[in-house]
Amino acid sequence: GESVGLHLPTLSVQEGDNSIINCAYSNSASDYFIWYKQESGKGPQFIIDIRSNMDKRQGQRVTVLLNKTVKHLSLQIAATQPGDSAVYFCAENIGSNYQLIWGAGTKLIIKP
Amino acid sequence: GAVVSQHPSWVICKSGTSVKIECRSLDFQATTMFWYRQFPKQSLMLMATSNEGSKATYEQGVEKDKFLINHASLTLSTLTVTSAHPEDSSFYICSASATGAYNSPLHFGNGTRLTVT
């Protein structure tokens, strides 16, 4: 069935280094993608989104890349900080409703 | 902006009792809100879509009589877990869109940790 999956369940990164979290999606008709950050015991927090007519979008210390050819989405976090420790979810939207298909999540661990 | 408030943040109840969880959009109106359930170390699972002024739409496998949803105003949706049992223990999260457009982010509440003893 349709799914959004992640390659790595856990990612350990040295503080100050860049982090790259990857996500694969299977529905070529998906046209909207979102990254969320979820800290322990809290709800998901919106980080950045991208529409299918774009390949790249930048925010503050974050960049999302979309490769529609291989159906791949990535989140890059520059100069990773301890506060970036969380689980990161990618989600895709299929169609013209609010139904989001969620990835399994990647736990980002920051090493001091 | 686009703040979603959820209350309570945690609740412990005895088996057989009912629990109501509130979800409020504080600075925007939401004709549609969403209720999710999340088990430890897992992704979010959509339970139902709450529509203001009409019946909620439940996902397959979600018992509508057990998880009662009421969306009485443009800023408030409630989820009532009726006759709760230990297997209902979970993290419940609501969300809403501030723009009403499908290609805009959903904003989430901080969740409610339900523990049924």
Side-chain angles (χ1 to χ4, degrees):
Chain A
E2 307 294 357
S3 66
V4 177
L6 298 177
H7 297 305
L8 297 172
T10 301
L11 177 65
S12 249
V13 176
Q14 199 74 35
E15 182 179 348
D17 288 351
N18 297 334
S19 302
I20 299 177
I21 302 172
N22 297 302
C23 181
Y25 64 95
S26 57
N27 193 325
S28 57
S30 295
D31 59 0
Y32 180 60
F33 305 87
I34 318 171
W35 281 101
Y36 284 95
K37 171 187 180 182
Q38 187 178 26
E39 296 177 89
S40 181
K42 296 185 178 181
Q45 175 187 359
F46 168 74
I47 302 173
I48 193 167
D49 58 359
I50 188 168
R51 300 181 183 180
S52 59
N53 60 354
M54 301 173 68
D55 298 321
K56 178 180 179 179
R57 192 165 186 222
Q58 289 183 293
Q60 186 176 15
R61 277 202 311 121
V62 294
T63 301
V64 56
L65 298 178
L66 176 62
N67 186 329
K68 294 181 288 293
T69 302
V70 295
K71 297 177 195 167
H72 185 266
L73 189 69
S74 69
L75 176 70
Q76 300 178 2
I77 304 173
T80 310
Q81 302 169 358
D84 294 327
S85 293
V87 176
Y88 290 81
F89 291 98
C90 64
E92 70 181 288
N93 185 286
I94 303 175
S96 58
N97 56 47
Y98 294 109
Q99 288 273 10
L100 289 178
I101 305 299
W102 292 81
T106 293
K107 183 174 183 179
L108 180 63
I109 297 172
I110 312 304
K111 297 182 289 186
Chain B
V3 177
V4 175
S5 175
Q6 204 171 323
H7 178 81
S9 56
W10 61 270
V11 58
I12 301 172
C13 71
K14 292 185 178 179
S15 187
T17 62
S18 295
V19 174
K20 180 184 284 188
I21 302 170
E22 293 186 346
C23 180
R24 294 180 185 273
S25 55
L26 297 187
D27 50 0
F28 65 97
Q29 294 183 329
T31 55
T32 304
M33 291 184 176
F34 303 89
W35 287 96
Y36 289 85
R37 184 172 181 176
Q38 186 178 34
F39 291 104
K41 298 183 180 180
Q42 292 190 25
S43 187
L44 282 74
M45 181 184 73
L46 180 65
M47 298 175 64
T49 301
S50 171
N51 304 296
E52 188 269 336
S54 64
K55 292 182 179 180
T57 304
Y58 290 82
E59 294 302 301
Q60 189 173 9
V62 179
E63 299 177 58
K64 61 180 182 180
D65 294 331
K66 181 165 190 62
F67 299 99
L68 299 179
I69 291 173
N70 185 284
H71 196 151
S73 76
L74 288 171
T75 59
L76 174 64
S77 175
T78 60
L79 169 69
T80 301
V81 183
T82 63
S83 187
H85 291 285
E87 57 266 30
D88 298 324
S89 298
S90 191
F91 193 51
Y92 294 87
I93 316 172
C94 69
S95 70
S97 169
T99 67
Y102 83 93
N103 55 0
S104 66
L106 291 180
H107 298 278
F108 287 81
N110 265 330
T112 297
R113 173 74 58 193
L114 171 63
T115 302
V116 185
T117 61

